[in-house]
């Protein structure tokens, strides 16, 4: 368990990924867990690690209150992803061991082995992350489609609208709503994938049926 070496780019990347869907290291408020990890970082994360940088700047604002934050500070290796080994401070530990071992060869071998193990675990972590299914952003849209007059064939108008079939668009329920002078508008629901279908495209395609459609408006737009 850990973030790897938080003084390295690889360790900061693990921290950034860990904070992608979290505000804090543990729980929902700043705690000693945040302080422990914060103090292990040598400098602010680079701008491209936006989640880690956002967290770093937020925790930095608690610098004067850090002693009063809840929780008990634990060893750094007690925080972070379960499948990543904490190696922050490994160089310091190795130096201490060198003071005891006059030859130092065993420590060097252990350091290489630890480095190899950390790289393998980071690779496993990246592999697991890449296999997670991507979240598809969708929206629910309610459209108002207005005819030219009370003589417009509304059944045909709706048929034209529903004939628009594109990837990422699913039509839902509909109804006719009176607008005055005997005229009714078509109110129709649809669900779209945000990356594939936009309201501008819908308006362009729907108003292309100019024999039936006078205009189209978005009555409601909600993210799903």
């Amino acid at each position: 368990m850990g973030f790897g070496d938080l003084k390295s780019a690889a360790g900061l990347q693990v921290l950034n990924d860990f904070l992608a869907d979290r505000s804090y290291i543990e729980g929902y408020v700043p705690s000693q867990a945040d302080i422990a990890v914060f103090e292990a970082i040598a400098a602010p994360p680079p701008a491209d690690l936006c989640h880690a940088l956002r967290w770093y700047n937020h925790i930095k604002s608690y610098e004067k209150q850090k002693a009063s934050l809840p929780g008990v500070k634990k060893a750094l290796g007690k925080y972070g992803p379960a499948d990543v080994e904490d190696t922050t401070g490994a160089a310091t530990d190795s130096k201490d061991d060198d003071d005891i071992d006059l030859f130092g060869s065993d420590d060097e071998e252990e350091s290489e082995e630890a480095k190899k193990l950390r790289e393998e675990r980071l690779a496993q972590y990246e592999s697991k992350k890449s296999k997670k299914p991507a979240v598809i952003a969708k929206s629910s849209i309610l459209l108002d489609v207005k005819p030219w007059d009370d003589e417009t064939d509304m059944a045909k108008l709706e048929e034209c609208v529903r004939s628009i079939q594109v990837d990422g668009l699913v039509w839902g329920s509909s109804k006719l709503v009176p607008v005055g002078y005997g005229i009714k508008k078509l109110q129709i629901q649809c669900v779209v994938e945000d990356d594939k279908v936009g309201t501008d495209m819908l308006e362009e395609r729907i108003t292309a049926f100019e024999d039936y459609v006078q205009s189209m408006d978005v009555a409601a737009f909600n993210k799903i």
Side-chain angles (χ1 to χ4, degrees), residues 30-36 38-39 59-73:
S31 68
Q32 293 301 321
D34 296 283
I35 299 301
F38 178 87
E39 291 177 344
I59 299 305
K60 187 177 181 180
S61 68
Y62 287 93
E63 194 164 3
K64 293 182 180 179
Q65 306 149 256
K66 63 182 182 181
S68 62
L69 293 179
V72 177
K73 193 183 296 185

Side-chain angles (χ1 to χ4, degrees), residues 25 30 36 44 119 136-137 174:
I25 300 300
E119 289 175 350
I136 300 175
S174 64

Side-chain angles (χ1 to χ4, degrees), residues 99-139:
D99 292 339
I100 300 171
D101 186 353
L102 298 177
F103 299 97
S105 58
D106 291 341
D107 291 332
E108 185 177 349
E109 291 176 3
E110 289 176 4
S111 177
E112 288 298 320
E113 185 178 347
K115 181 179 177 181
K116 182 179 179 181
L117 181 61
R118 173 170 58 85
E119 289 175 350
E120 288 176 354
R121 291 186 175 180
L122 284 173
Q124 291 172 1
Y125 176 79
E126 291 295 331
S127 176
K128 286 182 180 180
K129 186 183 69 168
S130 65
K131 292 177 182 177
K132 290 182 179 178
V135 177
I136 300 175
K138 294 183 179 181
S139 299

Side-chain angles (χ1 to χ4, degrees), residues 108-176:
E108 185 177 349
E109 291 176 3
E110 289 176 4
S111 177
E112 288 298 320
E113 185 178 347
K115 181 179 177 181
K116 182 179 179 181
L117 181 61
R118 173 170 58 85
E119 289 175 350
E120 288 176 354
R121 291 186 175 180
L122 284 173
Q124 291 172 1
Y125 176 79
E126 291 295 331
S127 176
K128 286 182 180 180
K129 186 183 69 168
S130 65
K131 292 177 182 177
K132 290 182 179 178
V135 177
I136 300 175
K138 294 183 179 181
S139 299
S140 174
I141 306 175
L142 184 63
L143 302 175
D144 281 346
V145 185
K146 298 174 183 176
W148 288 105
D149 51 39
D150 60 341
E151 295 182 358
T152 300
D153 186 342
M154 296 303 292
K156 184 63 178 177
L157 184 150
E158 180 174 353
E159 180 183 333
C160 291
V161 171
R162 290 186 181 274
S163 72
I164 301 171
Q165 299 292 326
V166 295
D167 186 29
L169 169 65
V170 178
W171 293 109
S173 60
S174 64
K175 63 180 179 180
L176 297 178

